[in-house]
Amino acid sequence: MKRNRVEVFNRSPSDFYISEKKKEIDTWGKSLYGTTEIVKEENLLEELAKFCSFEETNDIREIALQLEEDIAIINKGVLSAICFCFPSSWVPSERLGASLSELHEPVADGDQLIKASSKLSKVMERQNILRWIWTITTNSSLSNHPEYERPELIGMESLYLRVETQTSAPLTEESSLFFVKVNVFPLNQVWSNSILESINSMSEEVLLYKNLKEIKDFLNEPNRCFN
């Protein structure tokens, strides 16, 4: 995690991402998005549209479908609006109203992150932040919605590196924006020994949380060949 000094979202989104978002919303509907009353009371969606230089709207979907990134609003440390078309094994609408500490509770080895959540929400209201999250998966799609069946591990050609670029930016004095850009790459194309070293350094709790136990064993098999 570090201070972000570049654009927090792509102002020239690709048609591919917009098309994939529409497919996910058509498939999963309201499970992907929602808002709380505070968002309406404080016109935060209108503020978000203004931040993005979009036409004024109070519909989180309309904004999300103009972005490559998934989008959320944090108000006073609470998730107050969200449209995540490409979630990572969780249902976005079920997290509405949760505090940052509650959102971080499922994260393995996340005690320090939970303790810092209140401070982090204040920092997000004051400056732009950038961080990356990654994992290895057998799912080649942008969405890891929990209702999707995870493909079986059948070889290196069935593994993908999933990377989330997470950026945040202040919106109002007591709220911030949270953008997530998802990229998925065939593991063979981006392989580095540092990936395996990182996986081997993870605790059992983290491996379980990231669904990496079987993948770790596979990657550590003797005479494993990487193209």
Side-chain angles (χ1 to χ4, degrees), residues 42-178:
E42 299 195 10
N43 299 317
L44 294 181
L45 289 180
E46 289 86 345
E47 291 295 327
L48 168 56
K50 186 187 303 182
F51 179 93
C52 295
S53 300
F54 297 159
E55 290 186 11
E56 184 174 315
T57 179
N58 59 6
D59 189 335
I60 188 69
R61 293 169 302 173
E62 288 185 4
I63 296 172
L65 289 174
Q66 297 177 73
L67 297 166
E68 287 187 346
E69 296 81 4
D70 282 336
I71 179 66
I73 298 176
I74 310 296
N75 179 257
K76 298 179 182 177
V78 173
L79 178 61
S80 300
I82 191 168
C83 187
F84 268 35
C85 297
F86 310 132
S88 182
S89 301
W90 51 282
V91 179
S93 63
E94 293 179 356
R95 304 292 180 89
L96 276 172
S99 66
L100 276 188
S101 59
E102 290 171 330
L103 292 171
H104 290 142
E105 276 181 6
V107 178
D109 293 352
D111 290 348
Q112 293 302 314
L113 185 57
I114 292 171
K115 291 178 182 178
S117 292
S118 179
K119 181 179 179 181
L120 176 59
S121 67
K122 294 296 183 184
V123 173
M124 291 169 65
E125 293 165 7
R126 297 187 181 96
Q127 66 185 46
N128 293 5
I129 296 174
L130 168 67
R131 73 171 180 169
W132 293 272
I133 304 294
W134 66 270
T135 192
I136 308 297
T137 177
T138 54
N139 186 357
S140 63
S141 67
L142 293 171
S143 175
N144 269 351
H145 192 286
E147 292 298 322
Y148 282 131
E149 184 175 350
R150 190 179 298 274
E152 292 184 9
L153 171 55
I154 57 175
M156 278 295 289
E157 67 278 5
S158 66
L159 290 177
Y160 299 84
L161 176 69
R162 176 186 171 89
V163 180
E164 294 184 4
T165 301
Q166 302 180 353
T167 57
S168 68
L171 182 61
T172 66
E173 289 186 359
E174 295 184 310
S175 66
S176 60
L177 302 176
F178 185 63

Side-chain angles (χ1 to χ4, degrees), residues 172-195:
T172 66
E173 289 186 359
E174 295 184 310
S175 66
S176 60
L177 302 176
F178 185 63
F179 298 89
V180 179
K181 169 68 179 293
V182 177
N183 289 101
V184 180
F185 309 95
L187 187 58
N188 264 331
Q189 294 182 11
V190 295
W191 178 256
S192 165
N193 285 333
S194 62
I195 295 175

